Amino acid sequence: DIQMTQSPASLSASLGETVTIECRASEDIYSNLAWYQQKPGNSPQLLIYDANSLADGVPSRFSGSGSGTQYSLKINSLQSEDVASYFCQQYNNYPWTFGGGTKLELK
Amino acid sequence: EVQLVETGGGLVQPGRSLKLSCVASGFTFNNYWMSWTRQAPGKGLEWVASITNSGGSTYYPDSVKGRFTISRDNAQNTLYLQMNSLRSEDTATYYCTRDTGLFDYWGQGVMVTVSS
């Protein structure tokens, strides 16, 4: 199975700040990586697919990058509505696997 | 608008069975693979099962293989998850998801609690 290691597990940042979340795969996943946002009490929602493509309706302050085994999610100019947990997921090989998540809070 | 509505959750004793349902609307159901993904309380996400658009093939992780069965009724736009021999570690919110490799739409989730 492909292991997805996400860091940090938690993050505290100020409004307007830029934050970056990292995800490392245990083997090459050829950019078959998605990022999800889960706001408290809600279902996860797709943010990014194919490592760097923005899902419909996602604000442009979100961006994804990376290749091979290393990927990152960047949020520019943090807004209060970005407080959430974020998960990466690989869909290169079964079983599909997720990172452990990053809980983003406001400082 | 894509909608996925799960039902069937609840409290069940260890070793017993439970069947979840998910009614889909807003897209052509029989064109898409579908999946179930779960989240234990306060924990991360775990993919549980996938089924091809025709229902001809199914996929499971080792953690549920042999105990869970995913199926679908394309005439009724409905996805199912039959869960047998339930364990305490199956306690989670179960989400119905549209599967294109990634999960582009999620239901609101249904809680399953396995406890005596």
Side-chain angles (χ1 to χ4, degrees):
Chain A
D1 296 4
I2 297 176
Q3 306 303 314
M4 304 300 292
T5 303
Q6 198 173 327
S7 61
S10 63
L11 180 56
S12 183
S14 302
L15 291 174
E17 201 174 321
T18 294
V19 301
T20 301
I21 298 168
E22 307 282 345
C23 190
R24 185 181 79 247
S26 59
E27 62 185 76
D28 196 328
I29 57 171
Y30 302 97
S31 297
N32 291 308
L33 182 102
W35 290 96
Y36 301 90
Q37 177 192 63
Q38 185 177 31
K39 295 184 180 181
N42 287 354
S43 307
Q45 286 193 306
L46 179 66
L47 279 180
I48 303 277
Y49 62 96
D50 295 347
N52 59 16
S53 296
L54 223 56
D56 289 345
V58 174
S60 59
R61 63 180 180 274
F62 290 90
S63 63
S65 63
S67 62
T69 62
Q70 300 276 2
Y71 299 87
S72 62
L73 171 70
K74 187 163 87 169
I75 310 172
N76 287 317
S77 188
L78 187 69
Q79 305 295 303
S80 57
E81 59 263 34
D82 301 334
V83 168
S85 292
Y86 294 85
F87 297 90
C88 61
Q89 179 234 335
Q90 67 82 19
Y91 48 96
N92 190 63
N93 284 336
Y94 275 117
W96 306 149
T97 47
F98 292 86
T102 296
K103 187 173 183 180
L104 175 58
E105 297 174 326
L106 282 180
K107 193 180 291 183
Chain B
E1 179 196 4
V2 172
Q3 284 200 310
L4 300 169
V5 180
E6 305 98 332
T7 56
L11 173 64
V12 61
Q13 293 179 326
R16 304 299 290 262
S17 299
L18 199 64
K19 187 171 185 176
L20 307 181
S21 300
C22 168
V23 175
S25 61
F27 65 101
T28 305
F29 185 67
N30 61 12
N31 281 354
Y32 288 88
W33 289 36
M34 296 293 294
S35 291
W36 291 94
T37 301
R38 69 184 179 184
Q39 186 172 35
K43 301 295 185 182
L45 298 164
E46 181 187 18
W47 165 71
V48 170
S50 291
I51 188 166
T52 57
N53 56 315
S54 67
S57 294
T58 57
Y59 304 84
Y60 307 92
D62 288 345
S63 58
V64 307
K65 196 176 294 182
R67 299 189 300 122
F68 289 12
T69 302
I70 188 172
S71 62
R72 63 192 296 161
D73 181 342
N74 284 344
Q76 299 293 323
N77 286 359
T78 303
L79 178 72
Y80 301 101
L81 184 67
Q82 176 68 47
M83 303 183 292
N84 298 332
S85 303
L86 282 161
R87 306 167 180 168
S88 58
E89 55 264 36
D90 297 318
T91 294
T93 296
Y94 286 74
Y95 296 102
C96 171
T97 54
R98 196 172 79 169
D99 185 346
T100 57
L102 51 97
F103 306 118
D104 59 354
Y105 288 96
W106 298 63
Q108 86 286 353
V110 62
M111 185 68 200
V112 173
T113 303
V114 184
S115 174
S116 53

